[in-house]
Amino acid sequence: MTHYLYLVRHGEHLDAEHGLDDGPLSPRGRRQAELLADRLSGVPLTAVWHSPLERAAETARAVAERLPSVTPEPTALLFDCIPTGMTPQTPALYEPFFGSVTEAEVEAGSAQMADAVAEFLVRKPAAHELLITHNFVIAWFVREVLGAEAWRWMTINQAHCGLTVLAQRAGRPWTLVTHNDLGHLPMELRTGLPEVALV
Ligand SMILES: O=C(O)[C@@H](CO)OP(=O)(O)O
């Protein structure tokens, strides 16, 4: 029996384009969440977990409104975080980003990601779990499953309400089934990706 994890970045939040950290979903974000729910309507979800931040909690509520059999639950393991600091392999063009990150933030982020991986990348036969979280958290899970070097999380990006699926069959390693699938979103709702992926 296969265990599936559906990783989704929250919908676009109001004023995201003006750099506000958190807030309610924008009308576009709300629509992204509704279309995500429709996309998942055939999936026998066994659990829905979400980051406690407002943009993720509201995305989870919007999904649950259209999928009444699921009850979303918050978990601090899915908070937005910084999984690592600069490593010797990190491209220099990321220095400005890491320049504004404190050691304490990195320490907390690394610990959170270790706990999140230990909690969620553990086999539960026939489980279908939806995780509504943040760009960096999904990047860390994808990097983990691919066995990529730690710095690579910086280069893995997901759009708002894009669908990334991980799966594990009995006795097999976790595998990446699909990454940032946007098939349920029309072009005007595909938001949140950097214009150019920086490597
Ligand atoms: O700030 C961001 O770019 C990302 C980092 O994870 O967060 P979010 O998915 O909440 O927009």
Side-chain angles (χ1 to χ4, degrees):
M1 299 292 260
T2 304
H3 176 190
Y4 288 93
L5 283 181
Y6 304 85
L7 297 170
V8 170
R9 187 178 177 193
H10 56 81
E12 180 190 67
H13 63 283
L14 271 181
D15 295 327
E17 67 271 29
H18 304 308
L20 282 196
D21 274 352
D22 196 20
L25 295 184
S26 66
R28 221 161 35 172
R30 176 102 200 149
R31 189 70 191 128
Q32 289 164 341
E34 290 167 352
L35 290 171
L36 169 71
D38 293 349
R39 172 74 186 271
L40 294 172
S41 62
V43 176
L45 289 173
T46 52
V48 179
W49 302 100
H50 65 86
S51 153
L53 291 174
E54 188 177 3
R55 56 197 187 276
E58 195 182 330
T59 302
R61 283 197 299 275
V63 168
E65 272 172 27
R66 281 164 105 99
L67 301 177
S69 63
V70 303
T71 307
E73 291 192 48
T75 168
L77 295 175
L78 297 180
F79 254 125
D80 197 16
C81 71
I82 312 286
T84 67
M86 282 289 283
T87 72
Q89 294 82 21
T90 307
L93 51 84
Y94 287 111
E95 268 168 24
F97 171 83
F98 285 109
S100 62
V101 173
T102 66
E103 269 183 42
E105 281 177 293
V106 170
E107 203 175 309
S110 298
Q112 181 192 318
M113 285 301 88
D115 289 349
V117 162
E119 175 71 24
F120 290 110
L121 289 183
V122 160
R123 184 162 171 75
K124 296 173 202 140
H128 290 259
E129 298 176 288
L130 171 61
L131 275 49
I132 299 174
T133 180
H134 302 273
N135 196 33
F136 294 169
V137 174
I138 299 169
W140 187 258
F141 272 85
V142 170
R143 183 218 59 81
E144 178 76 21
V145 161
L146 294 178
E149 288 178 84
W151 69 271
R152 291 272 179 187
W153 69 267
M154 284 293 304
T155 64
I156 301 170
N157 288 288
Q158 293 69 218
H160 295 123
C161 287
L163 182 62
T164 293
V165 182
L166 308 179
Q168 191 199 37
R169 285 167 43 218
R172 303 298 305 156
W174 280 93
T175 188
L176 179 63
V177 176
T178 189
H179 177 248
N180 193 40
D181 181 344
L182 304 181
H184 49 294
L185 299 174
M187 288 305 288
E188 67 274 16
L189 293 183
R190 296 181 182 188
T191 59
L193 285 178
E195 279 178 23
V196 181
L198 301 175
V199 181

